[in-house]
Amino acid sequence: MMSSKHSPFSAYRVAVAVVFTSIAVLFTACSKKEPAETAASTATVPAAAAGKIDLSLDEQKVSYGIGYNIGRDMAAQPGLAIDEAAMMAGISDALARATPQITDEEIRAAFMAVQQKVMAEMAKIGEKNLAEGNAFLETNKQRPEVTVTESGLQYEVLASGDGAKPTKENTVKVHYHGTLIDGSVFDSSVDRGAPVEFPVGQVIPGWTEALQLMSVGDKWKLYVPANLGYGMQAKEKIPVQSTLIFEVELLEIK
């Protein structure tokens, strides 16, 4: 399926998950102490601009991976402009256990202000994407080959198999090709030439529902409303409140 950064099963590395959890906790802590989150507009920078570094050791690779994933996740947030020099200074100071250059109060106030900007921008983008997606789904469901489930999931059968149906507890092997309603591809195991395996119960709701309706050998085209996909969670190539289209082939129940 798509690479893990925006796949339905989103298999994050443990180290990266810890870092993201820390960031989320910081946002939550700021909100509690001071009562009162697509793509960011960042320029594409060639890899060479960062300079050649030694990545031969596992520790170096993990360190680079953590930094890359943090940067990628931040770049997916609309309205969030990151000052790279300031961010690197904060990381360096923290690793060196140096005294912060600004107070906790200043950091909390800045977090709250930027969070409000990001949330406002996400809401605006999400409202537009949701309206466009709903209009697409409303038209799409009129086609006789499209079936609509009670949840709002839409699908059409491209090829039929005669194998067993998986349950929520099963792990399955699939091939998939994912696009937005404008046709842009955000991920594809088909393009990579390698099917993927994942637990049925640990994917986006639209996939969990569809897979339990499919038989091994089936190939379906899924039209996933935003609330059965990622909703307000922005991914690298998936804006908030996006309607998603997948061609999914169920190859095997593990």
Side-chain angles (χ1 to χ4, degrees), residues 54-66:
D54 185 0
L55 296 174
S56 56
L57 300 178
D58 287 339
E59 288 78 3
Q60 293 168 328
K61 294 174 182 177
V62 167
S63 299
Y64 180 84
I66 291 173

Side-chain angles (χ1 to χ4, degrees), residues 126-144:
E127 185 177 359
K128 175 178 177 292
N129 290 340
L130 187 60
E132 292 177 350
N134 288 341
F136 170 85
L137 292 169
E138 185 64 29
T139 300
N140 191 61
K141 73 179 184 180
Q142 307 302 324
R143 298 192 294 122

Side-chain angles (χ1 to χ4, degrees), residues 42-220:
T42 55
T44 300
V45 181
K52 296 285 186 178
I53 58 174
D54 185 0
L55 296 174
S56 56
L57 300 178
D58 287 339
E59 288 78 3
Q60 293 168 328
K61 294 174 182 177
V62 167
S63 299
Y64 180 84
I66 291 173
Y68 187 89
N69 278 279
I70 290 175
R72 181 179 59 199
D73 218 52
M74 289 180 173
Q77 305 308 314
L80 179 60
I82 294 297
D83 185 308
E84 186 176 345
M87 182 176 72
M88 296 308 299
I91 293 174
S92 296
D93 286 351
L95 290 175
R97 292 182 169 81
T99 301
Q101 298 183 37
I102 54 178
T103 66
D104 287 345
E105 290 72 19
E106 289 177 295
I107 294 175
R108 285 198 299 271
F111 263 103
M112 289 184 65
V114 171
Q115 187 179 25
Q116 289 175 357
K117 292 179 182 178
V118 171
M119 291 177 67
E121 185 63 21
M122 288 180 68
K124 184 169 67 174
I125 294 173
E127 185 177 359
K128 175 178 177 292
N129 290 340
L130 187 60
E132 292 177 350
N134 288 341
F136 170 85
L137 292 169
E138 185 64 29
T139 300
N140 191 61
K141 73 179 184 180
Q142 307 302 324
R143 298 192 294 122
E145 61 268 36
V146 173
T147 298
V148 184
T149 71
E150 185 176 346
S151 71
L153 175 70
Q154 299 181 10
Y155 68 88
E156 59 181 295
V157 178
L158 305 180
S160 297
D162 55 5
K165 296 181 185 293
T167 68
K168 199 171 184 177
E169 289 70 36
N170 287 139
T171 292
V172 294
K173 183 176 184 179
V174 306
H175 247 323
Y176 70 93
H177 183 76
T179 68
L180 301 177
I181 60 175
D182 64 3
S184 57
V185 179
F186 54 82
D187 198 18
S188 174
S189 70
V190 176
D191 289 349
R192 290 195 302 276
V196 297
E197 299 178 9
F198 55 87
V200 174
Q202 295 183 22
V203 292
I204 57 175
W207 271 61
T208 297
E209 178 181 356
L211 286 168
Q212 294 178 87
L213 299 174
M214 297 176 69
S215 300
V216 172
D218 279 355
K219 182 176 182 180
W220 287 11

